[in-house]
Amino acid sequence: MTAPAPTGLARLAAFAAGDDGRPARLGFLGAVLITLGGLGAGSTRLHDPVLESLHLSWLRFGHGLVVSSVLLWGGVVVMLLAWLWLGRRLIHSGVSEYAMKATTWFWLAPLLLSVPLFSRDTYSYLAQGALLRDGFDPYAVGPIENDNSLLDNVSPIWTTTTAPYGPAFILVAKFVTMLVGNHVVAGTMLLRLCMLPGLVLLIWAAPRVARHVGGNGSVALWICVLNPLVIIHLMGGVHNEMLMVGLMMAGIALTFAGRHVAGTVLIAVAVAVKATAVLALPFMVWVWMRHLKDSRNLSAPKAFVTATAAGIAVFIAVFAVLSGLAGVGLGWLTALAGSVKIINWLTIPTAIANLTNAIGGLVFGVNFYAVLQATRIIGIIIIAVSLPLLWWRFRHTDREALTGIAWAMLVVVLFVPAALPWYYTWPLAVVSALAQSRAAIALIAGFSTWIMVIFKPDGSHGMYSWIHVLLATACALAAWYSLRRTPEPPPRNDTDDVAGVPAGA
């Protein structure tokens, strides 16, 4: 008689001790090293009484900083190796969705205790939440107007900037600061826990969306959940993209399943966290329209008008409720332009301006900021022209709608005035269901590795250092090659849930 399969903790323990759990154990080690190294080399507070009380302030200076940096970067390397190892297994022999989900929690657990990593944005979030808590309008004034200890840790360029986030996230930040006051450490930990629902929604939605369009759920999880950009940047760095992406993907999954109102509500809430999620809504109208045609035998124009009107009504209702609860208006939309303060090489307009300045400056005088302004204007024009064309082009099937969202998000990330590493998790979440060939997986691995290595743990980047750029590029090429050359899977006859990339993909 066959013994029953283990469940719950017994299954998790068996997974952790077995061969399938080896990448999980390696990534756990990497996460522990990152957490330890982050105490000195991460985005720690400027004046940290916790480190001082533990007599660990030495980790932030001199030889202590070197030790911390080695630990943190060693952890990043170990986690990247674990992710690539899991990717090779996925391509060659397949990995179950359960193994992917269990691995996620092994990698995440140590990071729940870490300082903010690769970004100081969490301090801005807390300061903006404190504004609403203390009776200020975060869409009208910057954190500098509310004199408190939280300001000590906010990056100077954001102290005078109004909040560019929607009412849902401002409510979350307000809730956190109401509970912990101006306690930065407790606020950071609680804010990170508030991002967990986004990760849970993404784990739930990504495989469902992938299977709906003929993809593999395990591959989707590897691309958009276990990706170090998500584990380290979104969760370790405490970014509200985690909430936005999870809500958006869950909304897409519900819409594909025919639950259009619920799907639209979730996407609207995602927009109320961060505006980028709005790119998904027009494409979901096509999905709703097709379902109305099939279920109610409506003509295409009537189904389109009905779906559009219903979608707009749901969206407005959600925003009215959330804005009313927060007691704010739409002023956050005007703050979206605040990203122009960021100058790096992660968008095409800014990269072109930097190259023009670097190369042209050798021959003649270049007004960098004039060139930057011109390239950014051109970038905005490209976005404005591309989005309606993509919306019209990708309208015929659910897979096309998802492809349109992916392209729309990629165009926005590439041509907005400025971007940061975690912005690329927007298109990655959608692409995870579509780009599942071995070649696509290898490219995603290479790109994600480059983005992961080019940024520094304190939130700065190494794009102006040729040594850093060459090192990141070498790591990216190694990651791409390791997966591109992974042996094809052997012929399979079984029908279990362990599925890899088809041979020859």
Side-chain angles (χ1 to χ4, degrees), residues 208-356:
R208 284 169 170 77
V209 172
R211 290 193 294 269
H212 183 81
V213 297
N216 182 298
S218 294
V219 176
L221 288 169
W222 184 84
I223 291 173
C224 74
V225 172
L226 285 155
N227 194 314
L229 288 179
V230 174
I231 298 294
I232 298 177
H233 272 293
L234 293 195
M235 289 304 302
V238 197
H239 288 291
N240 56 14
E241 268 84 0
M242 189 74 263
L243 277 177
M244 183 204 80
V245 169
L247 286 163
M248 179 188 71
M249 287 297 288
I252 291 172
L254 289 175
T255 303
F256 282 166
R259 299 172 63 183
H260 307 102
V261 173
T264 303
V265 167
L266 286 187
I267 296 174
V269 176
V271 178
V273 172
K274 197 159 187 174
T276 317
V278 76
L279 296 171
L281 281 174
F283 292 94
M284 292 297 97
V285 168
W286 295 127
V287 178
W288 199 342
M289 181 196 79
R290 284 193 299 275
H291 289 176
L292 286 174
K293 284 177 58 182
D294 295 339
S295 63
R296 300 189 183 182
N297 199 28
L298 298 178
S299 64
K302 189 172 183 179
F304 175 79
V305 171
T306 303
T308 302
I312 292 174
V314 171
F315 183 82
I316 291 175
V318 169
F319 256 82
V321 169
L322 292 174
S323 297
L325 289 173
V328 296
L330 298 177
W332 61 288
L333 295 174
T334 61
L336 295 176
S339 64
V340 298
K341 297 180 179 180
I342 303 168
I343 299 177
N344 59 41
W345 293 70
L346 286 184
T347 66
I348 291 176
T350 311
I352 290 175
N354 275 300
L355 284 172
T356 302

Side-chain angles (χ1 to χ4, degrees), residues 44-55:
T44 50
R45 300 170 62 186
L46 297 180
H47 304 288
D48 199 317
V50 175
L51 289 181
E52 292 169 4
S53 64
L54 296 174
H55 304 291

Side-chain angles (χ1 to χ4, degrees), residues 78-94:
V78 169
M79 185 167 282
L80 281 170
L81 290 174
W83 183 57
L84 296 173
W85 185 11
L86 195 59
R88 287 175 61 85
R89 286 189 168 200
L90 187 66
I91 292 173
H92 179 61
S93 56

Side-chain angles (χ1 to χ4, degrees), residues 33-46 48 51 59-60 64-65 68-69 71-73 114-120 123 236 456-460:
L33 293 175
I34 291 171
T35 300
L36 293 175
L39 290 173
S43 301
T44 50
R45 300 170 62 186
L46 297 180
D48 199 317
L51 289 181
L59 289 172
R60 302 177 59 193
L65 179 58
S68 298
S69 299
L71 284 174
L72 195 150
W73 277 114
S114 76
V115 303
L117 300 167
F118 292 88
S119 170
R120 304 184 67 84
Y123 305 128
K456 299 177 183 179
D458 63 356
S460 60

